[in-house]
Amino acid sequence: GSAGRDFELNADDASDFLQFVVSLIPDINFKISLASIKLVTLMLRKNMMQNKKHYSLLVSNLTEKLSDSKQVVRDATLECCALVIATFKQAPFLAHCTKSMQHANWHVREGILILIARCLIESESSGLVIQNDFIEELCFCVKVEDKAVLQRMAIDNLALALSLSKNHTDLSS
């Protein structure tokens, strides 16, 4: 039979399938959730996700999954997010996840700070423009973060963002 051959979906079926898989990311059964994250990761690796139709839901579901109690799920989520950033660029990801720097769960804040650092480090080659409101969000994160390790990560991200920004924000006001 067809064992070993890649199968192809038309664009509409692929979109419906992707929506279904993305909808399984928040599943409470960790095996279903992890399998869906791994499937999205595989689809990103194979360039099967160029359409931004499900981007917002995907990033929201992945961001929430950073709060999972299982390290294996958080690691898979970070890997998937890195591919989302590589596929769809840093700016939309940063815009979407900035609000999660204030998330109630510290694992989410930690994951977001890791991903922000990745975006900033990779930004020089992509020409990402660091916006003043993003720098202000990082300042606020530094100010309100109660976990010392995350506050240091936020400070590192802020220093990196300031070094990359063309027009430094007046932080004295």
Side-chain angles (χ1 to χ4, degrees), residues 5 8 25 42 56 62-63 106 109 126 136 138 147 150 153 157 169:
R5 279 190 281 183
E8 293 183 23
I25 291 172
L42 182 67
S56 188
L62 288 171
T63 300
W106 74 269
R109 299 193 311 271
S126 70
E136 290 168 11
L138 279 171
K147 274 188 121 14
L150 298 187
M153 289 171 68
N157 280 342
T169 305

Side-chain angles (χ1 to χ4, degrees), residues 3-173:
R5 279 190 281 183
D6 286 339
F7 85 43
E8 293 183 23
L9 295 172
N10 68 42
D12 288 339
D13 290 342
S15 180
D16 290 346
F17 178 68
L18 182 60
Q19 183 174 0
F20 172 69
V21 172
V22 169
S23 74
L24 293 176
I25 291 172
D27 199 280
I28 56 169
N29 181 319
F30 112 92
K31 289 181 180 179
I32 290 173
S33 179
L34 187 59
S36 63
I37 293 166
K38 287 182 174 184
L39 195 50
V40 170
T41 300
L42 182 67
M43 292 172 78
L44 285 162
R45 278 211 180 97
K46 292 187 174 272
N47 289 322
M48 297 169 69
M49 276 186 61
Q50 301 304 318
N51 188 331
K52 287 188 175 183
K53 183 176 178 183
H54 307 295
Y55 180 85
S56 188
L57 180 63
L58 173 63
V59 174
S60 294
N61 286 353
L62 288 171
T63 300
E64 279 304 311
K65 214 58 193 170
L66 289 168
S67 69
D68 199 280
S69 61
K70 292 185 174 30
Q71 184 68 47
V72 66
V73 174
R74 294 195 307 271
D75 289 346
T77 302
L78 285 173
E79 180 185 357
C80 189
C81 285
L83 287 166
V84 168
I85 293 164
T87 302
F88 297 105
K89 305 297 175 230
Q90 296 98 346
F93 187 85
L94 287 175
H96 194 91
C97 76
T98 302
K99 61 186 173 286
S100 297
M101 286 192 287
Q102 311 308 322
H103 198 280
N105 184 293
W106 74 269
H107 286 297
V108 173
R109 299 193 311 271
E110 177 185 47
I112 292 301
L113 288 167
I114 290 168
L115 293 165
I116 287 171
R118 182 184 196 102
C119 287
L120 293 172
I121 290 165
E122 294 174 356
S123 72
E124 286 187 287
S125 60
S126 70
L128 175 71
V129 176
I130 309 296
Q131 301 294 329
N132 287 345
D133 59 344
F134 175 71
I135 290 176
E136 290 168 11
E137 288 284 344
L138 279 171
C139 288
F140 185 72
C141 181
V142 168
K143 182 179 175 184
V144 300
E145 180 55 62
D146 58 352
K147 274 188 121 14
V149 66
L150 298 187
Q151 189 178 46
R152 284 192 298 276
M153 289 171 68
I155 290 168
D156 290 346
N157 280 342
L158 178 59
L160 188 53
L162 286 170
S163 73
L164 293 169
S165 70
K166 302 288 185 261
N167 49 347
H168 295 290
T169 305
D170 180 7
L171 300 176
S172 62
S173 56

